Amino acid sequence: MRVLGIDPGLTRCGVGVVEGVAGRPLTMIGVGVVRTSSDAELGDRLVAVERGIEQWLDEHSPGFVAVERVFAQHNVRTVMGTAQASAVAMLCAARRGIPVALHTPSEVKAAVTGSGRADKDQVGAMVTRLLRLDAPPKPADAADALALAICHIWRAPAQNRLQQAVAAHRTSGASRTPGAPGTSRTLKGRTT
């Protein structure tokens, strides 16, 4: 499985490609940052982020894209920029038919370090160790992008099984009519 992890941001958008499967050693294919000038117009910055992500998609042909889910911060301006860069990343992947997964920061930290409250240095150290790198990727946005890709590789098999089970349940549940032969209901602890 080859995953492009994207840590969205307008000034620095971290990108990292990791290849592997859960339970086996992982390999970093590439890591970097798409940068835009804070002095540029918003539209120009979004186009620059799009071009950068498109270049990574062209160069590395990932099977999946993992994007950090935007969460509420106190600085609305920062949240807006992050959300806009995130939308650009999802759009680039969707345009190519590449599945996109969103992972929360605490989910990524927990997957990589064992603690959803890990700091940037701890995430960088574990990414370095897991990918057998000589030094932590810099800046932290790049390490975060690799952590997103690692998180997705490790979590995707379980998430896929859950999605398949939910879909199967919906399909089997839709074919049954409540009260029809072959179906049952539970009322106050009794099966009828």
Side-chain angles (χ1 to χ4, degrees):
M1 172 184 300
R2 182 175 281 201
V3 178
L4 171 61
I6 300 175
D7 181 33
L10 274 181
T11 303
R12 288 182 319 275
C13 182
V15 287
V17 180
V18 176
E19 192 166 71
V21 294
R24 302 264 189 219
L26 304 173
T27 303
M28 181 187 77
I29 305 300
V31 65
V33 177
V34 176
R35 296 180 188 273
T36 70
S37 171
S38 58
D39 297 335
E41 292 293 321
L42 176 60
D44 294 335
R45 294 177 80 186
L46 292 172
V47 168
V49 169
E50 179 202 23
R51 287 183 181 147
I53 291 170
E54 289 288 351
Q55 184 177 352
W56 277 81
L57 291 170
D58 287 342
E59 188 174 332
H60 298 287
S61 303
F64 300 88
V65 172
V67 180
E68 185 174 273
R69 183 183 299 273
V70 178
F71 64 99
Q73 295 175 343
H74 298 294
N75 186 340
V76 174
R77 191 171 181 181
T78 301
V79 168
M80 289 300 293
T82 302
Q84 290 161 335
S86 179
V88 167
M90 290 186 282
L91 174 67
C92 290
R95 188 184 292 140
R96 294 170 182 245
I98 301 172
V100 176
L102 300 175
H103 298 283
T104 65
S106 59
E107 181 182 353
V108 174
K109 291 173 184 179
V112 175
T113 70
S115 170
R117 294 176 165 234
D119 63 26
K120 293 257 185 209
D121 289 337
Q122 291 170 312
V123 171
M126 283 307 296
V127 165
T128 302
R129 186 173 180 188
L130 292 168
L131 296 176
R132 300 170 313 283
L133 305 175
D134 294 331
K138 298 289 182 191
D141 309 276
D144 289 349
L146 291 171
L148 276 151
I150 292 167
C151 174
H152 186 72
I153 289 170
W154 287 352
R155 295 182 62 104
Q159 287 176 333
N160 290 342
R161 285 192 299 275
L162 283 171
Q163 289 171 346
Q164 290 168 352
V166 168
H169 177 72
R170 286 184 179 148
T171 302
S172 67
S175 63
R176 295 183 183 169
T177 305
T183 63
S184 62
R185 314 181 281 174
T186 302
L187 301 172
K188 293 186 181 179
R190 296 184 325 224
T191 302
T192 60

